[in-house]
């Protein structure tokens, strides 16, 4: 048998897929979808080597659709038009097309929009695969027309099942002792394709009758065990440690955890997004520049790439950890959101509503509005909350950093508001 071991061991049925039983098992989401007799467009989100391509092929086979595969890395607008036209011609013969788009998040917004018409008119059933969070990388219009299915990184048990299948296919045991086999599984870092590729390297390198231990395995594959499992406990532990170190104003610890995650292979843009979140949640208006620095660092990495871009992330982390802290905006936002949900669709006071029609003017819309720039100190003191709700103080600035000055202005406005509404 020729070809890579991972390719030769691709399952022939959806039920044979390992590690994604929540999707492909008897009660799995994909199994139920197929049993309904209708296959809709889906986005398969998960780490490399979790089986997204395999599942896409099997879905086409299960429903007897023509299978077309493209990669967003190598496909342009002209190529997409050809694929769509071929699908239209195929549909006139009564054959439906399942279009599998690998790395779909690499398409820009305009390219993603080009899928909408052919999804809506039934020309294609789209199955997109992405390793990045679809919420950040895909258009809302595309997401609204496709169901997102999450693939999980393989655990030690499912990787072990893949190694057992490999031994059956090779008709010989893997020449590793128990400790070395466990090390091989850790080296694969949740990637099914990687564990089979590593096993193939071991079979090629081992001499007849040789049994490799951990040291022998390392010398054969020249790869170290991962520092942590992305997408699993280690990932969440370290991002939590980074966030809390920034919140706790410890730039040294924050820099250490940032480097831990970068060294482990974490996506730097994921870290950039989390750093932006930290700037809003834990610093806020105590230092408004923090959000600018965080956003600039994310954009700098996006522009420079690796390894130069990591320094911008480090600069942002140190800046945020060293900045004055406030969660006042974060607290105010949550309180305001609760109020918005609890009070329903209250009409704002009529004096601050526009009156573009005569009827609305007759109803009192805009009547009595005071233009603040014409008032002393550019402050009229009028009420802006719905009458049925009354005034609520959501934002309570701290006395730290820039918020100390904001607090002074708000206290002055509160005094003026009382004076001018008497």
């Amino acid at each position: 048998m020729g070809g890579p071991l991972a390719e030769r061991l691709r399952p022939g049925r959806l039920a044979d897929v390992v590690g994604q039983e929540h999707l492909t098992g008897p009660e799995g989401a994909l199994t139920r979808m197929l049993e309904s007799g209708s296959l809709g467009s889906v986005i398969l989100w998960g780490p490399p080597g979790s089986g997204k391509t395999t599942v896409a092929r099997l879905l086409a086979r299960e429903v007897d659709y023509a299978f077309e595969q493209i990669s967003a890395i190598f496909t342009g607008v002209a190529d997409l038009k050809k694929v769509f036209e071929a699908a239209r011609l195929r549909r006139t013969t009564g054959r439906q097309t399942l279009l599998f788009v690998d790395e779909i998040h690499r398409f820009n917004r305009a390219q993603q929009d080009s899928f909408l018409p052919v999804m809506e008119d039934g020309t294609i059933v789209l199955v997109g695969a992405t390793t990045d969070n679809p919420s950040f990388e895909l258009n809302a219009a595309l997401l609204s027309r496709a169901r997102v299915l999450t693939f999980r990184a393989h655990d030690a048990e499912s990787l072990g099942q893949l190694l057992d299948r490999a031994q059956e296919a090779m008709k010989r045991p893997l020449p590793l002792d128990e400790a070395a086999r466990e090390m091989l599984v850790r080296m694969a870092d949740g990637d099914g394709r990687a564990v089979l590729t590593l096993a193939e390297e071991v079979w090629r390198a081992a001499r007849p009758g040789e049994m490799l231990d951990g040291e022998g395995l390392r010398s054969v594959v020249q790869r170290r065990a991962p520092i942590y499992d992305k997408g699993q406990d280690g990932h969440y532990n370290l991002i939590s440690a980074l966030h809390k170190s920034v919140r706790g104003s410890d730039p040294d610890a924050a820099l250490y955890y940032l480097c831990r995650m970068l060294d482990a292979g974490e996506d730097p843009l994921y870290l950039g997004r989390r750093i932006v979140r930290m700037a809003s949640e834990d610093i806020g208006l105590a230092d408004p520049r923090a959000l600018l620095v965080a956003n600039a660092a994310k954009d700098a990495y996006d522009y420079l790439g690796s390894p130069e871009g990591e320094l911008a992330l480090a600069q942002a982390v140190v800046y945020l950890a060293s900045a004055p802290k406030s969660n006042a905006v974060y607290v105010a936002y949550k309180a305001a959101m609760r109020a918005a949900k609890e009070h329903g669709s209250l009409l704002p006071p009529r004096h601050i509503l526009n009156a573009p029609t005569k009827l609305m003017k007759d109803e009192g819309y805009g009547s009595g509005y005071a233009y603040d720039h014409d008032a002393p100190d550019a402050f009229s003191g009028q009420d802006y909350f719905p009458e049925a709700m009354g005034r609520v103080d959501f934002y309570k600035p701290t006395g730290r950093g820039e918020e100390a000055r904001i607090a002074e202005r708000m206290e002055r406005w509160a005094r003026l508001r009382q004076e001018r509404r008497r």
Side-chain angles (χ1 to χ4, degrees), residues 165-180:
R165 289 187 181 182
Q167 291 180 135
E168 292 176 12
M170 297 293 289
K171 296 184 171 56
R172 51 186 167 136
L174 194 61
L176 297 174
D177 65 23
E178 185 176 347

Side-chain angles (χ1 to χ4, degrees), residues 224 227-228 230 234 238-239 241-243 245-246 250-268 271-272 275 278 306-307 309-318:
R224 67 175 180 177
I227 294 174
Y228 79 140
K230 287 180 289 180
L238 288 186
I239 195 61
L242 171 60
H243 195 151
S245 297
V246 168
D250 191 334
D252 296 309
L255 195 57
Y256 165 71
Y257 289 117
L258 173 73
C259 291
R260 279 275 304 274
M261 298 188 81
L262 289 170
D263 187 46
E266 183 58 77
D267 177 10
L271 291 169
I275 291 168
M278 295 172 203
S306 184
E310 281 92 337
L311 184 58
L313 299 179
Q315 178 180 339
V317 162
V318 171

Side-chain angles (χ1 to χ4, degrees), residues 23 41 54 101 126 221-222 229 257 266 294 350 378 389:
L23 299 176
S41 293
T54 295
V101 183
L126 175 68
V221 300
Q222 296 293 304
D229 296 325
Y257 289 117
E266 183 58 77
R350 294 181 182 233
M389 181 177 172

